[in-house]
Amino acid sequence: MLTRTDIATPTSLPAEKPVVQLDGVTKRFGEAIALHEAWLKIVPGEFMTLLGPSGCGKTTLLNLIAGFLDADGGEIFIDGILVTETPAHKREIGIVFQNYALFPHMTVANNIAYGLKTRGIGADEIKRRVDEALALVKLDGFGDRKPRQLSGGQQQRVALARALVIRPKVLLLDEPFSALDKNLRASMQIELKEIQQRLGVTTIFVTHDQGEALSMSDRIAVMSAGRIRQIAAPQDIYRRPQDRFVASFIGDANVLKGKLSAVTDAVAQVTVGSLSVEVPAAPLAGLAAGADVDLFVRPEHLVPVDGDGGPAAPSLAGTVRTQVFQGGHVDLYIDLGEHAAQPVLLRSSAALAPSKWQTGDVVRVRPVSADLVAFPKQDG
Amino acid sequence: MKQRPFIGWFVSPAALVALGLAAAMAAILQYSVRAYVPGSLDVGGLTLENFTALLRPLYAWAFWGTILLCLLTATFTLFLAYPVAYALVRVRSKALKSFILIASVTPLFLGEVVRTYSWMIVLGNNGFINSVLKSLGIIDRPLQMMFTTPGVVAALVHVTMPIMVIMLAAGLSHIDRNYEKAAESLGASPVRCFLTVTLPLSMPGIVAGFSTAFAWTFSAFATPQLIGGGKVNTVSTLVYQLGFASFNFPFAASLSLAGLVMTFAVIALMKRAMRPVERLGEQ
Amino acid sequence: MPFSMRKSPLALAGILLVAIILGFVMLPAIVVTITAFNDKAILAFPPQSYSWRWFARALSYGDFQKGFWNGLIVTAWASTIALIVGSGFALALHRYAFSLKSTLEAVLLSPLVIPHFTIGLGLLILSAQLTVGRGFPLVVLAHVILVLPFVLRSVFISLQNLDGRLELAASSLGASPRRVLFTVTLPLLVPGLVSGWLFAAILSFNEFTATLFVSNQATQTLPVAMYNYVREYADPTLAALSVIYIVVTALLLTLANLFFGLGKILNVDAH
């Protein structure tokens, strides 16, 4: 089981030299702490996502790595070199902004060439590398256009080419998809991931969209209120959230009112009504048997029990409150009475519903997964 | 950013200009407490006489008259400029917008002398207005408009119109139209909507425009000098006469200083007085 | 509401009102134009016969010619200095925090409310105290002080409309602060700089009251020469000169509107 200290150095991490390393980096804006002692190691070629709601400190963290902000505490290393005091233009990082920030007074080719010119590279070499970069993002022949003559997707490719052409030590992406419409977004995500893997460029991606984060990342750092809450692979973040915030921010979660019945080193027993389930003990550290806990159950891990309920399967009785047709499935909201403060959500195949249940029907449900977690009961 | 590249290059020239201005103001302050030596450009010892002289009827009345003139001008300007600014911001046609903008802003760049001269032709005894009225048979003797306060006010309103339009339009253009739509959808009549939504929201522009119009009128010299023709005394015309006719620079300095203090005081007062109006929308 | 699509009586009254007010604004220009073509030397309306002779006199009158060239010298220096000083300070205001920032800003913007005669008188006394003559440098200083707020405003608005991420992108690509300034910031500020300079130049060329205090016979600018003329003569020469003024100014403003969008420069267009 993971412990608190493991957050900073997960055991799953290969023993390579990190490309980016943050040692207790802190940033304040006046009285407010925007980032509280961030510890982070990013290995070569890794796609690391900083995920969290707006104001969680993820953009601050990105700006600190880029050198646009100065840290109030802690150290930042890029490629093993201490860069805490290094100005942005000497850090050798590539960045793609939310609005792309293409220079409106330069052609596409000159935008891409900008970083090469600052490095004093010869004209022939610049031309070759610009053409190469344009080909990489499938924009051959667009070099002479001005940014405003391009579509949103094309502008993003130019921004990516401009950031990659300087062969940065690390690529920073600041919500790059938020300005694109839904269909384009999906195809750009696949393309970006492809390019990233082909070049093997270490990437830090900032987003508030958990779908993007789960589908693209090697690892995700979930942030909230200026703190990194958990760093882990997408599956682990989803299945084994380490704290209450992560559990409720990533994916949907039903919260059941349970009681801690027994604790061992690794595993704890939680009972809800006649149900008894096993959860990891770590998040409940310090609680004694009999304490109130909140049991988190994903909607897809909650299933209806047919008939009167078989003798082998203990379950909870509830009343169907609302059904919401979602196309491929139906969202069923079930009132569990004393066992949950809010009606719980479960997903049923659209083929069964709505004929199978009517609003007001009594239905029995039970959780069917090993991936359940519980946290100390929260007041209110 | 911790580093502030070029800050010295950016700030020091401006600091030099500010220093020049501050030195000029200090010079006025210094002269205002020095004695006048008739027939000489040099000044005497320290004295408060220049300030007690301000209380003499001629100057006290001129001061009072100038304040009234400024308030009158700023008020008329506000009422004339508001509809123009509103039209400028709300009119849909681009060509019409450009026309309104250029027509209302051009006078700003003509300078006081050209504008004042134009008004002399409009207001003169053989001028435009009198000629039109005479040919229409409304009057047979010319109306006296030159050398009168209304004449001066008309010309001054014309001087302060452009800046007032710009400041009001700047304020109005930043008001989200949906506020008005929301008010109308809630049943407010256009007049009520204007009084309870648009007007309070445009208050910052009104305060800024009114203060500026006040200050500019106070600053005007050619208009009261030429159209007032010595019959309408203002602080500016008196300062000029004291300086260049009697070479009494100490007294000119104290008069200027008093005017400056008064300008700042009136502007500060105005901002306070207009605060209740900003709360109109809450009732 | 004067300009809604439905032409209600209220809207029509609004349109009429605006038209009348614009008539008031343009009346003097129209009247002065008609007067300029008056053949007679007496100011009278309407003119009995018409001619171009006052234009010829306005262009050949010695004081006006001298004033025009003086004005050009003062304007060129003052607007250029104001542009450099103002853009630098606008950049500092926009980017940095520094000590006395708001004090300095308040002082530099104060000429918007300090009467011009006060500034003129102050500089005149200062020059007497320092025993420097009333030469061009004094006139230029007065003009720089007076037009600086307008340059500052124009450049600062352009800076606010400039996306700061462009500068960040440039520095992330390895550009030094100097390179960012010259390849990204300044090129993108060009419209604001040009319009700021143009504003400064027009205002400086027309400045009268302060100039009257700080100039002498040798440095007097065109507005001062015009003021002196109108106190002595009452013929339409000045009307002719005014017409030239109005035409040139309206032309410059129309050009500025075409190239830069006057509405944006004056900040009366929402973005």
Side-chain angles (χ1 to χ4, degrees), chain C residues 72-245:
Chain C
L72 276 192
I73 293 168
V74 171
T75 294
W77 278 102
S79 55
T80 308
I81 293 174
L83 180 72
I84 295 166
V85 174
S87 342
F89 191 65
L91 276 161
L93 271 187
H94 187 251
R95 282 190 187 169
Y96 307 135
F98 49 93
S99 50
L100 292 179
K101 176 176 175 170
S102 50
T103 311
L104 205 50
E105 186 188 0
V107 170
L108 290 173
L109 289 178
S110 66
L112 286 175
V113 287
I114 298 181
H116 285 202
F117 65 84
T118 307
I119 292 175
L121 180 69
L123 286 170
L124 178 66
I125 295 176
L126 185 67
S127 77
Q129 284 178 329
L130 301 176
T131 61
V132 292
R134 286 199 261 167
F136 278 118
L138 188 66
V139 184
V140 170
L141 176 62
H143 282 219
V144 168
I145 289 173
L146 290 171
V147 301
L148 194 58
F150 294 88
V151 178
L152 211 51
R153 184 181 154 89
S154 173
V155 178
F156 193 76
I157 289 170
S158 309
L159 273 171
Q160 280 182 318
N161 294 332
L162 177 77
D163 182 358
R165 279 174 288 200
L166 293 170
E167 295 169 301
L168 295 183
S171 73
S172 83
L173 292 167
S176 63
R178 174 195 296 272
R179 202 181 174 101
V180 175
L181 185 66
F182 285 104
T183 60
V184 176
T185 316
L186 288 180
L188 290 173
L189 283 182
V190 161
L193 296 176
V194 173
S195 63
W197 182 84
L198 194 65
F199 260 46
I202 297 176
L203 289 172
S204 161
F205 196 74
N206 288 302
E207 208 296 322
F208 164 65
T209 313
T211 316
L212 184 66
F213 279 80
V214 294
S215 65
N216 57 23
Q217 202 60 41
T219 59
Q220 73 173 13
T221 60
L222 190 52
V224 177
M226 289 166 78
Y227 173 78
N228 288 335
Y229 189 91
V230 78
R231 283 167 66 92
E232 283 178 43
Y233 309 99
D235 64 42
T237 307
L238 211 51
L241 194 55
S242 300
V243 170
I244 299 172
Y245 243 97

Side-chain angles (χ1 to χ4, degrees), chain A residues 49-54 58 175 177-178 182 185 189 205-217 220 249-250:
Chain A
T49 298
L50 306 179
L51 173 67
S54 62
K58 57 188 192 295
E175 306 243 8
F177 303 117
S178 56
K182 208 179 158 190
R185 197 180 297 184
Q189 282 168 10
F205 173 61
V206 163
T207 184
H208 64 272
D209 183 322
Q210 46 166 302
E212 278 176 15
L214 292 171
S215 65
M216 297 182 72
S217 320
I220 298 173
F249 184 70
I250 312 286

